[in-house]
């Protein structure tokens, strides 16, 4: 059974940083397309960043240059380093694994087979 546990969310002022983590059990990170999504109240869930099995990454335009996705295959942990945070980054953030072969942020959330429970990020101005 695959379990994903996210951590690292919280409240921060604009310009600050947070690092989200997603630890997995029952799943091998090295072979998977993985990603981070976010959903703000009243808005659709959107892809933020993805990392493919070969380590290639993609980012949404809204976070490019500010967020960095990475993974530790030995520990089965996925990370999202978020710098220069803005109030519009406020959302529930979800990690997702076992995504499509075309591992980019263009892939919608329903293309992933496993999800974490979400961690809240709140950025104040």
């Amino acid at each position: 059974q695959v379990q994903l546990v996210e951590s690292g969310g919280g409240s921060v002022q604009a310009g600050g940083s947070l690092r989200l983590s997603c630890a997995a059990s029952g799943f091998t990170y090295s072979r998977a397309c993985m990603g981070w999504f976010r959903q703000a109240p009243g808005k659709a869930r959107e892809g933020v960043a993805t990392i493919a099995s070969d380590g290639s990454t993609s980012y949404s335009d809204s976070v490019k240059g500010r967020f960095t996705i990475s993974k530790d295959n030995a520990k089965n942990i996925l990370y999202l380093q978020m710098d220069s945070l803005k109030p519009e980054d406020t959302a529930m953030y979800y990690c997702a694994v076992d995504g499509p072969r075309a591992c980019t942020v263009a892939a919608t959330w329903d293309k992933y087979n496993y999800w974490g429970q979400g961690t809240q990020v709140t950025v104040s101005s």
Side-chain angles (χ1 to χ4, degrees), residues 82-117:
M82 305 186 294
D83 299 317
S84 302
L85 282 161
K86 304 175 180 180
E88 51 263 44
D89 295 319
T90 295
M92 185 71 79
Y93 283 71
Y94 300 89
C95 66
V97 303
D98 198 16
R101 285 190 176 184
C103 190
T104 71
V105 290
T108 53
W109 64 270
D110 56 308
K111 299 297 191 296
Y112 289 76
N113 290 319
Y114 303 103
W115 288 85
Q117 82 287 355

Side-chain angles (χ1 to χ4, degrees), residues 3-77:
Q3 285 190 319
L4 304 176
V5 179
E6 295 132 333
S7 60
S11 297
V12 64
Q13 288 191 326
S17 298
L18 286 172
R19 188 175 80 156
L20 306 183
S21 299
C22 177
S25 60
F27 193 83
T28 303
Y29 270 15
S30 61
R31 301 179 180 179
C33 169
M34 298 181 287
W36 288 95
F37 287 74
R38 67 186 181 186
Q39 188 166 20
K43 295 189 176 181
R45 189 171 299 191
E46 63 171 350
V48 174
T50 63
I51 185 164
S53 57
D54 64 358
S56 57
T57 59
S58 71
Y59 298 91
S60 65
D61 288 343
S62 61
V63 307
K64 198 173 295 183
R66 300 188 297 120
F67 290 11
T68 303
I69 188 171
S70 62
K71 61 178 178 172
D72 186 326
N73 289 334
K75 295 181 179 179
N76 264 10
I77 301 178

